[in-house]
Amino acid sequence: MSKEIITRGRQPPEVLAFGEPLAALYPLPGAGDTAGTGAYRMTWGGDTSNFSIGITKLGHVCTYITRVGADEFGNSFMKLWADCGVDTDQIQQDSGRTTGVYFVSFRDGKHYLTYYRGQSAATVVAREEIEWDYIRNARVLHVTGISQAISTRMLDLSFELMQFAKQNDMLISYDTNYRPLLWSVDRAKAVIFHTIREYADVVMTTDEEMQMLGLGEDPERLIDALPVMPRICAVKLGAKGSLLMGRQSSVWLPSYPVKVSDTVGAGDAYDAGLISAMLENCSLEEAGKLATAAAALTCRGTGPLERQPDRAELRAYLATTKPQREN
Ligand code: KDG
């Protein structure tokens, strides 16, 4: 098959993301802070959808591999991705299943998610419907612990995709994104360790996840707790910034001064910033700054996308703003 047919005249895939999009229901401001007490508005979430949109906004071509329902939420996602420029060629719409949903509640300054996703379309992405030749030349594959936790089929497919990525010299980007509501800590830890040992080049996690997974409290000691040292390892520390560790050096990145409205999706924006910087051969420090600032800017909005920055905004912000404190 000629390249023209494979890419259908569009830019060939550069970054692949694999996982589940979720319609996100947020309580309206003033509607009360516990689920069920007021009006909700719909927006879009799902870690890998947030990542796909984030990295596209930062100037890269991202092909999202997922499945949504042939329902209203599925249709609105298809329109959103098309409007944002995400490549939707590998997305199937399933008339027999629905798109997953989560409701957000805020309590004591923290957010809580309630999922309705058990039988969602994304749990049954079909390997036979992936155009393997079309995605073969991508440079990066991004997978998360959530993509692996939602069904056995998705777990198996994550391994098949990572094996394929490895054979085709892609960088494998992996966010542990441990969600206790989706699987037990023991099962998650076994899968996460296997993924890191066998596949992941870039591993991203948070200090909270480190603790939940029993990987210790000290971000600098994370590497000692992992089965192997990946090429790059990032620990996201919320308001404290992040720690980025490479094989030769590491760098602490302070956070940026923003008024935080909601932190959901900040980690996905971080991943998009880090991987986009790696695609552009930035230094570890530059990559860390881009990622940390992208996460901070995302926290200004409600929901993962409202204030997720694009390339111009992120670059302008970094050129004019100092981080909160220099280490
Ligand atoms: O990273 C943000 C995600 O947690 C949110 O968008 C919802 O994908 C989601 C999940 O499974 O928790």
Side-chain angles (χ1 to χ4, degrees):
M1 208 189 297
S2 79
K3 192 77 182 163
E4 283 71 23
I5 294 171
I6 293 170
T7 63
R8 299 183 193 88
R10 299 165 63 171
Q11 287 178 282
E14 182 184 19
V15 179
L16 309 174
F18 171 68
E20 174 164 40
L22 295 168
L25 277 300
Y26 271 79
L28 286 178
D33 52 18
T34 321
T37 57
Y40 282 79
R41 77 180 171 84
M42 184 261 173
T43 180
W44 301 271
D47 61 344
T48 46
S49 172
N50 304 335
F51 171 88
S52 300
I53 294 169
I55 200 156
T56 302
K57 283 162 87 173
L58 295 177
H60 297 275
V61 181
C62 183
T63 301
Y64 193 20
I65 303 171
T66 190
R67 192 174 184 100
V68 288
D71 52 9
E72 288 302 317
F73 290 148
N75 293 341
S76 86
F77 263 116
M78 294 303 284
K79 177 168 183 335
L80 171 77
W81 293 318
D83 289 349
C84 293
V86 173
D87 174 12
T88 57
D89 275 359
Q90 304 305 305
I91 302 177
Q92 302 129 23
Q93 278 199 276
D94 186 331
S95 54
R97 288 179 182 253
T98 51
T99 307
V101 175
Y102 67 88
F103 285 79
V104 183
S105 328
F106 293 103
R107 203 167 353 101
D108 304 329
K110 289 194 75 174
H111 64 253
Y112 298 87
L113 306 189
T114 305
Y115 298 129
Y116 293 88
R117 68 192 312 180
Q119 300 295 316
S120 71
T123 59
V124 293
V125 172
R127 73 161 312 285
E128 311 73 44
E129 289 177 37
I130 295 174
E131 291 173 284
W132 298 87
D133 276 340
Y134 174 68
I135 62 172
R136 188 177 300 282
N137 294 324
R139 295 175 61 196
V140 178
L141 168 68
H142 179 72
V143 174
T144 75
I146 296 175
S147 326
Q148 296 176 311
I150 58 174
S151 69
T152 312
R153 178 145 157 186
M154 287 293 278
L155 178 62
D156 293 346
L157 193 47
S158 80
F159 290 136
E160 185 170 354
L161 276 163
M162 287 190 285
Q163 188 59 38
F164 176 81
K166 216 169 158 175
Q167 282 159 357
N168 288 286
D169 294 324
M170 291 179 214
L171 183 86
I172 302 180
S173 157
Y174 183 61
D175 191 322
T176 58
N177 262 353
Y178 172 56
R179 299 291 183 270
L181 287 175
L182 297 180
W183 50 355
S184 73
V185 73
D186 291 343
R187 173 115 177 96
K189 202 167 164 178
V191 169
I192 288 169
F193 271 38
H194 177 70
T195 304
I196 293 174
R197 192 182 306 109
E198 300 297 327
Y199 303 106
D201 299 301
V202 182
V203 173
M204 293 151 300
T205 191
T206 67
D207 50 350
E208 275 182 25
E209 285 173 69
M210 275 184 65
Q211 290 192 29
M212 288 190 287
L213 291 165
L215 304 177
E217 304 211 339
D218 180 357
E220 282 182 320
R221 306 290 304 273
L222 172 63
I223 300 168
D224 304 333
L226 294 182
V228 292
M229 171 61 194
R231 190 163 135 195
I232 304 271
C233 198
V235 185
K236 302 173 247 183
L237 304 161
K240 295 200 285 297
S242 68
L243 172 64
L244 204 49
M245 294 169 275
R247 290 202 175 125
Q248 317 294 339
S249 59
S250 61
V251 53
W252 281 94
L253 290 311
S255 191
Y256 287 83
V258 290
K259 188 167 176 298
V260 175
S261 170
D262 173 30
T263 59
V264 181
D268 309 324
Y270 183 100
D271 298 354
L274 179 58
I275 297 304
S276 81
M278 289 186 71
L279 283 167
E280 292 167 33
N281 296 319
C282 293
S283 68
L284 200 63
E285 182 163 7
E286 274 176 281
K289 280 186 182 164
L290 270 165
T292 310
L297 290 174
T298 300
C299 292
R300 297 167 306 171
T302 301
L305 301 181
E306 193 175 84
R307 301 297 298 275
Q308 189 192 55
D310 64 14
R311 187 181 182 92
E313 184 184 13
L314 184 56
R315 299 273 169 180
Y317 182 79
L318 280 169
T320 54
T321 317
K322 290 236 170 305
Q324 250 153 357
R325 62 184 166 78
E326 303 286 354
N327 279 315

